[in-house]
Amino acid sequence: MDATTPRYLELRRWLRRQVEQGTFQPGAPIPSLNELAAEHGVNRLTVLKAVEPLVGEGILKPVVGRGFFVVGEAVARELETLDGFTRTMTERNAQPSVKVLTKALRPAGPKHAATFGLAEDDDLVLIKRLCLAGGEPFSLEEILFPATLLPDPGALDLKVFSLYELFSFYGVTLSQAWQTVELTRLDQKDARTLGVTADTAVLLFECTSRDADDRVVEFTRTYTRSDRANFVIHFRR
């Protein structure tokens, strides 16, 4: 290594290699500034000088209070209307936020094994989250997808990237979905979380999404407050 090369340039090249080689994976954080400084024998300012241009290049994403996260190479979605909550709310000028309530692995079991074409003891990732619009509860989501779709799902932060962005980073292209809607009621705990009473009817959307190879890659149940949402159906001759 050239002894005349500034340390921040050496560190920047090293960080870029770690991202390119997959040591630091898309959707996950890199080590903290303090950890990098200690590991490479430099100060925090040198680390920051190394990191900041990678943010400008779109390789890293800074998140206040959480550090720097690796940004993957997104692929275009084939079905533009298959939007997640954050994008949908943003397009409607409502400030979106998401609170993850549960993130865990669970066996597929007989019902979901049939849905995903898996063995009953294969792992699914279960995510339960509260979606808010303008700071007010809007919907409660339960999301299931095969654990093999994303490496180390526990290390991925859904407060930094949407699930669709993470899928995109790892080459999972959602191409079509089948959705049903009905009225239902929640138990007292979930109703309280959503800010309604247990006897209030909510909209239940169930959605099965497939990728470009026609594999089922995601199943969601979304319980949406009927007083805060409506939907439009377009018919075409």
Side-chain angles (χ1 to χ4, degrees), residues 193-209:
T193 300
L194 195 53
V196 298
T197 60
D199 61 352
T200 300
V202 297
L203 295 166
L204 168 58
F205 296 89
E206 288 193 345
C207 184
T208 303
S209 301

Side-chain angles (χ1 to χ4, degrees), residues 18-31 59-60 68-72 150-153 155-156 161 166 169-170:
Q18 304 314 299
V19 173
E20 291 172 349
Q21 295 169 2
T23 305
F24 300 152
Q25 295 187 332
I30 66 171
I59 295 173
L60 299 177
F68 294 86
F69 288 73
V70 179
V71 179
L150 301 177
D152 191 13
L156 305 176
F161 298 105
L166 294 173
F169 293 166
Y170 290 96

